[in-house]
Amino acid sequence: DDPQDYGQYGLNIKVTYRNGEPLQELNNVIQSGGERAVATATYMLSLQELTPVPFRCVDEINQGMDEINERRIFELLFDFTSRPNTSQYFLITPKLIANLNYVPTMKIHFIHNGPFVISQTDWNRIKL
C-alpha cells in the first residue's frame, strides 16, 4: 500500500481479436504470441504522442504474427514513423516482408547472415 513502492505497480491491458468475444486480459495463456505482439505494437504506437522521446527501439515485433497482422503492423509502424516530428525508430527483425510502402526518409540496413538470407538486390526498397 506504499505509493512509493513502484514494484507493486502494473498495467493490465484487455484485448479482443474476434467479433463477439469479451475483452480479456492480455497474458501468455489466452492469446498467442502473435496476438500479444499485435497488442504490444499498437499500445506502443498509441503512446507515441503522449511520450516524446528521441528514439524507440523495437526488437522482433513481428515474431509469431500471421502474415496479415504482420503486414498491418508494419504498415502502421511505417505510417507513424514517417510522420514529421516523430521519434526515430529502430526496428530490428530477422524477417522483413516484401513490397512494403517505404518512404525516402526511411533507411534500411541489411545484415546478411546465414545461407538462406535473400540477396539485397532481390528486395524492392521503394514501391513505385
Side-chain angles (χ1 to χ4, degrees):
D1 292 342
D2 178 10
Q4 298 299 317
D5 185 5
Y6 298 111
Q8 298 299 314
Y9 282 70
L11 178 66
N12 294 324
I13 299 174
K14 291 190 175 188
V15 297
T16 185
Y17 289 98
R18 290 155 202 86
N19 289 336
E21 283 188 1
L23 287 170
Q24 295 179 315
E25 189 172 316
L26 185 66
N27 65 49
N28 64 349
V29 175
I30 297 172
Q31 294 85 17
S32 70
E35 289 171 333
R36 290 191 314 272
V38 167
T40 301
T42 54
Y43 179 72
M44 176 188 65
L45 290 171
S46 72
L47 296 177
Q48 177 67 37
E49 294 179 8
L50 298 175
T51 56
V53 295
F55 69 90
R56 299 174 193 275
C57 185
V58 182
D59 185 19
E60 298 187 15
I61 194 67
N62 56 328
Q63 288 303 102
M65 285 187 198
D66 61 67
E67 292 179 23
I68 293 169
N69 281 322
E70 183 178 29
R71 180 164 297 280
R72 285 179 181 163
I73 290 300
F74 270 115
E75 287 173 353
L76 272 174
L77 282 167
F78 287 7
D79 178 51
F80 272 85
T81 60
S82 62
R83 294 178 183 175
N85 303 316
T86 189
S87 300
Q88 183 178 16
Y89 273 75
F90 295 91
L91 303 174
I92 301 167
T93 179
K95 179 181 77 169
L96 187 60
I97 56 179
N99 298 317
L100 291 169
N101 293 317
Y102 299 101
V103 296
T105 57
M106 196 175 288
K107 303 295 181 229
I108 300 169
H109 299 278
F110 289 95
I111 300 173
H112 296 278
N113 158 350
F116 304 106
V117 175
I118 296 173
S119 167
Q120 184 173 350
T121 58
D122 293 337
W123 283 94
N124 177 10
R125 262 186 26 94
I126 300 174
K127 187 176 179 184
L128 301 174

